[in-house]
Amino acid sequence: MNHACGIDFGTSNSTAAIYTDAGARLLALEDGKVTLPSAVFFNVEDDTLAFGRAALGEYLEGYEGRLMRAMKSLLGSNLIDAGTEVGGRTLAFRDLIGRFIGEVKARAQQQAGHNFDAVVLGRPVRFVDDNDAADAQAETTLAQIAGDLGFKHVSFQFEPIAAAHDYEERIEREELVLVVDIGGGTSDFSLIRLSPDRRGKDDRSADLLASCGVHIGGTDFDKRLSLACVMPELGLGAQLKRGAAFPSSVFFHLATWHTINFAYTRKMRQTLHALAPDVTDMTRFDRLFHVINQQSAHHLAMRVEDTKIALSDTESVAMALSEIDEALVRDVSRQTFADAIADEITRVGAAAMQTLNQAGVAVADVDTLFFTGGASAVPALRAAMAALFPAARAVEGDAYGSVGAGLAVVARQRYG
């Protein structure tokens, strides 16, 4: 009986997997689907927590409560020990993460038909950029949460390396592979030598040439698209009567998945009320208060996310913004999106090149770019990678399942 599992706690989606005689098996976590959106909704009316698609559904149906997404982004930050206020009480972010991962574990055990006492958790190459202490603390926090959930053995594997293990299960020849894992919160790269002969070995340290990552992912792309196309409709960029710019902090909160709830606080409302006499554009100011009072910013964030995804297949999207104004529609082009995330794409490309530099490997030596992660399909990202590695062939992994499946392979190697 397999007592170990792999869990990919993702910024946007999470998976769990085990290794069987037939290979890695992703477990169905919700409605027959192997992904569980990393979302928690506290329903004030029923005093209950809902998870995944059910959480998003209750929020969209208009139940009173609080929705949390992108909780993984809180790991390593000074917000992890803070919380969000719901119904007159504070829900600690650390506890919410624990409740969510505990739900993943419980559902995975139900699907597997037995309990798990060992887990390999995926982790980005960097939880936090340029702060080793905060990065280490993020892993420690996640390990403590897993231990509190009853896992006796907890270990970690870099997410792109886990994806490489999944890819290696089906290759037929040796390849030098750059794994390009663009998730919801981070972009991670691993340069690794893979082959059919190597995949059975426990010690792969000689095959892993380098890993690098940057704290940029799909939710950052959402934020930049929102700041470019949605937040100006609420007043971003407006001037106050005294000549100063309207404070931007509220718009950054509203455009960022894991800080949206901060825009709903009493303190933020008081700050905005104090600005009212100095406002020049009352139409957009009223729109801002409407979104805050209705707590509809998550609806807007979902529309932005849907637009981002659609722009991978079409050149232009008509984004309806009925939460702001029933008649408001913004036409968003693929080029507008590319312009909005240009700086982020440059930093992601630099992280890819840093991976090669660490290994002392030339661009021409890379055989394969293995793409995984939900944001890996963004056209601007793919164009940048193609320009950096013109001779490498692109291979598509399972955008949401490669990491989880690879973690199951690692769990088998470590725990039997």
Side-chain angles (χ1 to χ4, degrees):
M1 183 176 294
N2 193 326
H3 68 108
C5 67
I7 291 180
D8 176 21
F9 170 48
T11 302
S12 300
N13 291 277
S14 296
T15 61
I18 58 174
Y19 200 90
T20 69
D21 292 340
R25 172 192 164 200
L26 290 162
L27 301 169
L29 297 180
E30 185 178 27
D31 299 331
K33 298 179 175 64
V34 298
T35 58
L36 183 68
S38 301
V40 178
F41 180 73
F42 183 82
N43 187 319
V44 173
E45 297 176 35
D46 298 334
D47 194 24
T48 57
L49 283 180
F51 303 90
R53 293 170 187 83
L56 299 174
E58 290 192 17
Y59 172 78
L60 293 173
E61 287 171 20
Y63 285 95
E64 182 183 355
R66 187 59 52 86
L67 178 69
M68 286 296 301
R69 289 193 71 182
M71 296 173 289
K72 184 177 179 179
S73 298
L74 297 166
L75 291 168
S77 78
N78 56 12
L79 297 174
I80 189 65
D81 292 315
T84 184
E85 185 179 324
V86 184
R89 57 174 163 162
T90 298
L91 299 177
F93 293 137
R94 181 191 294 263
D95 293 341
L96 284 173
I97 291 173
R99 292 289 293 273
F100 179 81
I101 297 176
E103 187 70 16
V104 171
K105 181 190 180 191
R107 296 184 186 198
Q109 289 179 158
Q110 183 179 33
Q111 287 293 310
H114 57 266
N115 293 338
F116 303 120
D117 64 9
V119 64
V120 178
L121 290 163
R123 60 149 293 166
V125 176
R126 298 290 304 187
F127 279 106
V128 182
D129 293 339
D130 303 321
N131 189 330
D132 291 343
D135 185 77
Q137 184 57 50
E139 182 177 298
T140 298
T141 299
L142 199 50
Q144 290 170 343
I145 289 171
D148 291 342
L149 293 172
F151 286 112
K152 296 178 181 178
H153 309 283
V154 179
S155 61
F156 292 86
Q157 181 57 275
F158 288 147
E159 289 156 3
I161 297 176
H165 282 292
D166 178 49
Y167 176 52
E168 192 177 42
E169 292 285 298
R170 53 187 181 274
I171 66 174
E172 298 178 353
R173 61 179 179 83
E174 181 174 305
E175 300 178 25
L176 182 59
V177 179
L178 180 66
V179 180
V180 183
D181 180 9
I182 315 296
T186 59
S187 294
D188 297 303
F189 301 90
S190 284
L191 186 66
I192 187 167
R193 198 171 300 281
L194 304 177
S195 74
D197 295 336
R198 288 177 166 86
R199 61 184 168 220
K201 297 180 179 179
D202 292 337
D203 184 3
R204 301 297 301 276
S205 56
D207 297 327
L208 175 62
L209 305 185
S211 288
C212 188
V214 63
H215 201 264
I216 293 172
T219 56
D220 298 285
F221 299 158
D222 294 344
K223 176 173 70 175
R224 290 301 168 188
L225 184 57
S226 181
L227 290 170
C229 298
V230 178
M231 292 303 129
E233 302 295 344
L234 300 178
L236 177 63
Q239 296 290 311
L240 298 173
K241 292 177 182 177
R242 52 189 163 87
F246 194 102
S248 62
S249 60
V250 64
F251 304 110
F252 276 81
H253 283 321
L254 292 170
T256 305
W257 273 110
H258 62 280
T259 64
I260 287 174
N261 292 317
F262 294 159
Y264 301 153
T265 62
R266 187 178 298 107
K267 181 179 179 181
M268 182 62 74
R269 293 169 193 269
Q270 291 172 343
T271 299
L272 294 176
H273 274 298
L275 287 172
D278 207 19
V279 169
T280 58
D281 188 338
M282 288 305 299
T283 297
R284 290 195 286 174
F285 188 68
D286 289 342
R287 286 174 172 178
L288 175 61
F289 257 102
H290 176 71
V291 167
I292 290 175
N293 287 334
Q294 295 298 313
Q295 296 192 7
S296 56
H298 282 97
H299 287 266
L300 292 175
M302 290 177 194
R303 293 185 187 276
V304 170
E305 183 179 29
D306 289 344
T307 298
K308 173 193 69 178
I309 294 170
L311 286 171
S312 293
D313 299 316
T314 185
E315 289 290 335
S316 181
V317 174
M319 181 167 53
L321 300 174
S322 56
E323 287 79 16
I324 297 176
D325 186 301
E326 284 293 338
L328 184 60
V329 177
R330 280 294 306 264
D331 290 324
V332 183
S333 70
R334 184 179 287 180
Q335 187 59 53
T336 297
F337 180 34
D339 292 342
I341 63 173
D343 289 344
E344 282 73 17
I345 295 298
T346 297
R347 290 178 59 196
V348 171
M353 297 308 297
Q354 184 180 346
T355 310
L356 266 65
N357 292 337
Q358 287 179 3
V361 169
V363 167
D365 293 332
V366 177
D367 299 308
T368 305
L369 299 179
F370 180 71
F371 288 96
T372 186
S376 64
V378 169
L381 181 280
R382 298 303 284 264
M385 296 305 296
L388 290 171
F389 300 92
R393 70 186 185 107
V395 174
E396 304 297 329
D398 182 335
Y400 300 105
S402 288
V403 172
L407 291 170
V409 174
V410 178
R412 186 274 309 262
Q413 293 172 349
R414 292 181 181 175
Y415 304 117

